Each structure stands twice: as C-alpha cells, then as structure tokens.
Amino acid sequence: MDDQSDGGEGNSQRNPKLPLPGKRNILITSALPYVNNIPHLGTIIGCVLSADVYARYCRLRGYNAIYICGTDEYGTATETKAREESCTPQQICDKYYEIHKQVYEWFDISFDKFGRTSTPQQTEICQHIFKKLLENGYFSENTIQQLFCETCDRFLADRLVEGTCPTLDCGYDSARGDQCDKCGKLLNPTELKDPRCKACQARPCIRETNHLFLELPLLKDKVEEFVNSLSVEGSWSPNAIQTTYAWLREGLKVRCMTRDLKWGVPVPLEKFEDKVFYVWFDAPIGYISITSCYTPDWEKWWKNPKNVELYQFMGKDNVPFHTVMFPSTLLGTGENWTLMKSLSVTEYLMYETGKFSKSRGIGIFGNDVQETNIPSEVWRYYLLANRPEVSDTVFTWADLQAKLNTELLNNLGNFINRVLSFIAKPQGQGYGSIIPDASGAESHSLTKRLAERIGIYVKLKQALKIAMSISSEGNAYLQENQFWKLYKQDQASCCIVIKTSAGLVYLLACVLEPFMPSFSLKVLKQLNLPPENQFSLCNEDVERARKPWEILPDGHKIGTPEPLFKELVTLYVHV
C-alpha cells in the first residue's frame, strides 16, 4: 500500500503516478473547499473525508489511483474577505491555504496533490478551454443590467448581493445573488426582492454592463447524452440524479460567465480585459490545473477517457455545476476529455439545532476539533458513521460522546485490548507475547461458526459497519469460549481461540485503514507488524479472512498492548 497519511503529497508528489496499461486507473477529486475561512465539519465530511476513504480503499484494492484536491481561491468572497482583513486577495489565499492544509493533515487526508487555483497553470488551462468554446460558437456577448452600489462605487458580483428569494413559497430573506441556500434555486442578482449590498447594506441601483455568456442551450444534447449514459454506468447517488434532471427538465439557460472583478482568471479578450471569469466556470477547471501541478503529463489523466475513471465527491449544493456546467465546458471544446463517471454526494451535516455556516461562525471548525484533545481517528469515525448520504444529519456533542464510549471504547477497543493483553501476559498466565499455534482450528465448532460469519461480512460494501460487526462478533466469541477458563482447562482450544482472535485484530486494522488510518497504524504497531505488509482488500486476501486463525504466523512476537481509546466523560460545547 502507498501510505500517504501525512496529509500532504508524500512519495506520490516526488514520483507522480500515471495511468498504467492493464490496471484500473482511477482519478479521484473532491469539491475544492473555498479558501476564505477555516473549514468546518460539514466541509470535511461533505467532500475531502469521503473522497479520502475511497482513495485509501482503491489503494488497498491495488488500483492505480490518485486523489486531487486544493483550495478554490478566486472570486468575490476572497475579495470581500481581503477588504475585511485589510490585505490583498493573494495574502488571504496564502493565509487560508495553509490553514486548510494543516486541518486536512490533522485529519489524515491522503491527497496525492493538494494544490490551489491561483496559479499560472490555472490561468493557462482555463483560458485554453474558453478559447476552444469561443471558436466553437458556445460563447456570446450581451449587455445586461447589473446591480451597482453607488456607496462602494462598484458593480456587485453575485455574492456581494443579498435579498429575499423570489421563488414562490420560499421567501428566504438572506438569499445570495447567485443562489438561494434555502430552496437551492439558482438566481440572478436582479431577481432578488429588496436587494442590498452585502458590504454596506445600501440598496443598489441597476446599470448596464457587457459580459460573455456560455450558450448552455446549444450544448443540451451533448449534456443529456452524457448524463443519461454516465449516471447509469457510474451509479450516481439518487440526490445527484434528482438534482441534475431537475435542471434538465427546467431547460438549460444561457449563463453569464464573466464578472466585474479583479481577482480571478483574466478574460483573454481586449474588449473584456477588465473582467475575470465567473468562479463556477474556472473552479472545476482547478481539478485539471492542480493535476498539471502534480505532473507535467496531466493529459494522460484528463484526456484519456478510455483508460481513466473519474470519481468525484461533493456536497449536494455543488451537484449541477459538476453534472451540467463543468461537463458542458469540456464537451464544448470538442477535445477528448476524461468526463466524470461516478458521483458521490452528501446531504448537509447540521450542527446541534442549526446549519453549519462559515460566514456566521456556527458549528465546529477544523481548529476546534484539535482543541478538544479527541484524536483524529475518533472524529473520522464519527463523521463517517454519520455521513449524510440520503438526508441531512445532525452533529451533537452527546451523540459523539455516545459513539466514542459505546462503539469505539467498549466494542472495538475493548476487543483488541482483551486479545492482545492476554497474549502479552507472561507464560503461565498468557502467551509471553507470542502468537500460539492453532492446530485443529477448522474442527473447532465455535471457531468454524465465527469464520463463516466473518466470510459473509467481508463481501459486503459497508465496511465501517462491517468492521464494528466483526468486532462485536469477536467480543461474543471471546465470551462464549470463556478463554480465561480454557487457558487452564483446555490449552489447545485456548490457542485456537486466541490465535483466531488475534487474526481478527489484524483484519480489523486493515479493514478500518481507509476510515481510521492512525488507528490502524497503532494496532499494527501493537501487533509488531510493519504497515507495508498490510492486508489488502484484493480478492485473494479477502479469502484469507475466512480462516482468521491462519492470518498471523505461529511464533510471531507482538508489541506492547495499550488502550486505543479513552472514555469521553466531558461534553465539549463550542461557543
């Protein structure tokens, strides 16, 4: 396994991976987190952590996979934050890029490349795609009416305007100029009722300005063909399919793709030299430019649809930009791009009684979790066990406490510690830290029954639940055999039970590696086994799980057992 648990790029950055003939080549991306604030738990589970689990799983399966992510740095929000902090947009990006990177490192996110969009490569690739679309007739010019703040003396980009959503039965009074967070409808700023400048709260007036528009209606047939084919082939999640077809049924509309800003990818036309591209035009292109920073042979990943599968992870609010707008821009170039095959989408993670909000400071942020002294593997487990796949879920401190104490401490940690601590006891009380021989295990009735159940579990896909079930089975197996009595009454049977249980400990460390990598390393250390010899999830290794008493060799000396989890007795409250 190519372990990159440092959260950076590790060996992969020094020796970038390229697609290999005869291998399954998988390109994984997660939605680029915006750079103007500290990421919160919703951001972490909604994109980077879910994608990390899949990337680690792919490596364990022996696939040739890379995981690409980075910070989305251009646009209105960055300019606004720079004004708030009295610095330049570049300084804001530099500051928060490092904060994001440190948070993801703490969470053990195994990026092959964690980059950023404010790079020359981003400008080059974005402008290239624009020029191809322009050549092919998919861009048009038009004069539009746009909100202008006379107090601030500037046109107001979408996110600099707030007002009441015009959608019937919505009426949300804090809708942005580009989208209503309550009903999800995409908007134009001039559609808002009672608009106000976000910076000074003044009511803006309307002025005319020239912009470039992407002719999405002309790309409708290409997009529908892509969606109809890949949504089935790639088993898109139901929420992604529902959102995408809602867009298509409503009819694709011409979308303005330029903004009156300075911080962004410049439009490479003399007439529009004072404008930049709309962030939702250039942000997805960041996946490509960040890959180009990872390897100069980036086209072998991004222009190789026959040999590369693209898997993308994101929150539900990002879906239409990835299933309609981004594919449209690639299809419209006429070039042979690698298009998204599979899409994994999360609903919202709520905080206690409300919604996580960067701008309003509501929720748990990346720096908060580190201050709790609760290890990263516990946070990873909790977030993944509560991943909002089909509906919004709620984070509560009480639920975190319950899951740590019951599922991790009393189930998983208890099983592993009981097994290894007993093996570590001196001869006469245990096995002197040596894995015993388990002759006759296949004819031991309770062990045979356990093996059959484990064999069923490892075939299933929900590995996090499976691991906890294996741990529960292990605890029940220890209790049913009453190993502490067997040690004195039936040494041969006790050896079978303990060696089988030690095999389950190793199996748990391996199955849980994508979810809790630092936990797995701790268990392997206690087993005195090097991480590079880790059990994989390839078919031949999965078959080994049917005979857990054969997983570890006779005579192997384990390390020093230690408790893996500590009871959480204090509820933390974030203010």
Side-chain angles (χ1 to χ4, degrees):
M1 176 190 165
D2 178 16
D3 179 59
Q4 297 157 8
S5 58
D6 61 355
E9 291 83 47
N11 292 330
S12 181
Q13 180 64 64
R14 293 188 292 271
N15 302 292
K17 291 177 278 189
L18 296 175
L20 299 172
K23 294 277 283 186
R24 188 172 176 191
N25 301 298
I26 299 180
L27 172 58
I28 302 163
T29 72
S30 57
L32 307 182
Y34 206 73
V35 78
N36 70 325
N37 212 322
I38 301 169
H40 58 67
L41 294 187
T43 301
I44 291 162
I45 187 57
C47 49
V48 296
L49 181 52
S50 299
D52 180 61
V53 171
Y54 185 65
R56 290 176 178 276
Y57 165 80
C58 287
R59 296 176 194 130
L60 282 174
R61 290 283 295 173
Y63 304 150
N64 184 43
I66 62 169
Y67 176 19
I68 299 296
C69 190
T71 44
D72 176 9
E73 302 194 351
Y74 284 138
T76 312
T78 304
E79 280 197 2
T80 304
K81 191 70 173 179
R83 281 194 189 90
E84 290 175 4
E85 298 196 12
S86 301
C87 61
T88 67
Q90 184 65 62
Q91 288 171 326
I92 283 290
C93 292
D94 292 345
K95 171 184 174 180
Y96 284 102
Y97 170 79
E98 291 301 328
I99 291 173
H100 275 258
K101 193 170 185 292
Q102 190 273 329
V103 167
Y104 304 138
E105 286 175 353
W106 188 85
F107 271 96
D108 281 330
I109 307 299
S110 61
F111 304 115
D112 289 273
K113 177 65 180 178
F114 185 73
R116 48 201 307 191
T117 58
S118 59
T119 63
Q121 292 90 337
Q122 173 75 358
T123 297
E124 179 184 351
I125 295 172
C126 188
Q127 290 182 345
H128 167 79
I129 289 173
F130 164 71
K131 288 175 183 177
K132 296 298 291 186
L133 289 164
L134 188 65
E135 288 173 14
N136 295 340
Y138 293 120
F139 262 100
S140 61
E141 176 186 338
N142 203 355
T143 299
I144 64 168
Q145 293 184 326
Q146 190 171 334
L147 296 177
F148 184 90
C149 180
E150 294 178 324
T151 304
C152 297
D153 191 28
R154 58 174 173 163
F155 283 103
L156 298 179
D158 305 345
R159 288 175 175 263
L160 284 179
V161 185
E162 285 187 341
T164 301
C165 178
T167 306
L168 192 66
D169 299 326
C170 179
Y172 182 53
D173 64 0
S174 295
R176 298 195 311 264
D178 60 345
Q179 186 175 5
C180 175
D181 282 342
K182 183 178 179 182
C183 70
K185 186 175 178 61
L186 294 183
L187 301 168
N188 288 314
T190 53
E191 295 179 293
L192 290 173
K193 296 179 182 178
D194 301 318
R196 58 188 179 275
C197 172
K198 193 172 180 180
C200 70
Q201 301 300 306
R203 184 182 181 90
C205 62
I206 294 178
R207 289 190 183 180
E208 290 189 342
T209 180
N210 291 331
H211 281 286
L212 290 166
F213 292 76
L214 181 62
E215 294 285 344
L216 281 176
L218 299 180
L219 290 158
K220 180 175 180 290
D221 291 344
K222 293 179 184 292
V223 173
E224 286 188 339
E225 182 182 353
F226 157 74
V227 171
N228 292 338
S229 173
L230 272 300
S231 63
V232 175
E233 182 184 339
S235 301
W236 291 7
S237 51
N239 45 9
I241 293 174
Q242 181 181 355
T243 301
T244 302
Y245 278 103
W247 259 51
L248 295 176
R249 281 194 303 272
E250 192 175 302
L252 298 184
K253 296 177 175 60
V254 175
R255 299 285 300 182
C256 182
M257 287 294 152
T258 51
R259 293 293 186 269
D260 289 292
L261 296 171
K262 295 180 180 178
W263 183 244
V265 174
V267 178
L269 296 176
E270 185 176 348
K271 188 176 180 181
F272 294 90
E273 61 186 6
D274 60 338
K275 302 182 191 299
V276 300
F277 286 112
Y278 174 40
V279 69
W280 270 117
F281 177 74
D282 88 271
I285 295 171
Y287 302 129
I288 304 170
S289 72
I290 292 169
T291 310
S292 76
C293 295
Y294 169 69
T295 171
D297 295 319
W298 62 270
E299 291 188 353
K300 292 181 179 179
W301 285 106
W302 280 100
K303 291 187 176 180
N304 191 1
K306 289 185 177 180
N307 298 308
V308 173
E309 302 169 59
L310 174 58
Y311 281 68
Q312 299 196 285
F313 291 76
M314 67 201 66
K316 64 180 178 181
D317 52 336
N318 288 335
V319 168
F321 301 104
H322 288 79
T323 60
V324 177
M325 287 184 63
F326 184 41
S328 294
T329 60
L330 298 182
L331 288 165
T333 64
E335 297 176 327
N336 194 34
W337 291 99
T338 301
L339 298 176
M340 176 179 62
K341 176 183 177 180
S342 185
L343 178 64
S344 179
V345 176
T346 57
E347 299 288 315
Y348 289 133
L349 177 68
M350 312 296 282
Y351 174 70
E352 295 284 353
T353 58
K355 183 179 177 182
F356 278 81
S357 171
K358 289 181 182 178
S359 58
R360 296 175 178 85
I362 299 172
I364 306 299
F365 292 78
N367 54 337
D368 300 324
V369 296
Q370 298 173 51
E371 293 172 2
T372 64
N373 293 320
I374 299 172
S376 63
E377 61 260 35
V378 174
W379 283 103
R380 283 179 66 112
Y381 175 81
Y382 177 84
L383 291 171
L384 291 162
N386 289 274
R387 186 174 184 264
E389 294 185 21
V390 295
S391 63
D392 295 345
T393 60
V394 180
F395 167 87
T396 68
W397 287 104
D399 189 39
L400 173 67
Q401 182 184 39
K403 278 189 164 53
L404 168 56
N405 292 344
T406 59
E407 297 176 15
L408 294 180
L409 179 64
N410 295 340
N411 178 8
L412 180 64
N414 179 57
F415 170 68
I416 292 172
N417 194 250
R418 288 179 81 188
V419 174
L420 299 187
S421 294
F422 189 75
I423 295 173
K425 287 182 177 180
Q427 291 290 347
Q429 300 176 38
Y431 293 95
S433 297
I434 303 298
I435 299 292
D437 172 47
S439 301
E442 295 195 38
S443 59
H444 187 265
S445 60
L446 292 180
T447 301
K448 185 177 180 181
R449 189 175 71 185
L450 173 74
E452 289 172 353
R453 295 178 68 85
I454 300 302
I456 294 170
Y457 283 134
V458 295
K459 282 187 173 182
L460 302 177
K461 292 183 178 180
Q462 294 178 307
L464 189 58
K465 292 181 179 179
I466 290 165
M468 302 312 291
S469 297
I470 291 173
S471 180
S472 295
E473 292 283 353
N475 274 314
Y477 174 70
L478 290 176
Q479 286 300 116
E480 195 167 6
N481 278 285
Q482 295 187 315
F483 67 95
W484 58 94
K485 291 183 180 179
L486 283 181
Y487 185 77
K488 296 179 180 179
Q489 300 170 2
D490 186 348
Q491 275 282 338
S493 292
C494 192
C495 287
I496 291 170
V497 171
I498 293 302
K499 193 179 183 205
T500 299
S501 299
L504 291 187
V505 169
Y506 180 72
L507 180 62
L508 284 167
C510 299
V511 170
L512 283 169
E513 194 280 339
F515 304 93
M516 303 161 68
S518 56
F519 160 83
S520 294
L521 289 174
K522 289 175 185 176
V523 175
L524 291 173
K525 182 179 179 182
Q526 292 186 28
L527 284 169
N528 192 27
L529 291 169
E532 57 268 23
N533 290 346
Q534 193 165 340
F535 181 97
S536 79
L537 296 179
C538 298
N539 292 336
E540 53 269 28
D541 270 346
V542 169
E543 284 301 310
R544 289 171 58 202
R546 296 178 180 276
K547 295 182 178 181
W549 55 86
E550 293 183 357
I551 290 178
L552 296 177
D554 300 346
H556 173 75
K557 185 173 183 178
I558 67 169
T560 304
E562 294 177 359
L564 291 158
F565 302 104
K566 296 180 180 178
E567 183 179 9
L568 179 60
V569 294
T570 303
L571 281 178
Y572 294 84
V573 178
H574 172 63
V575 179

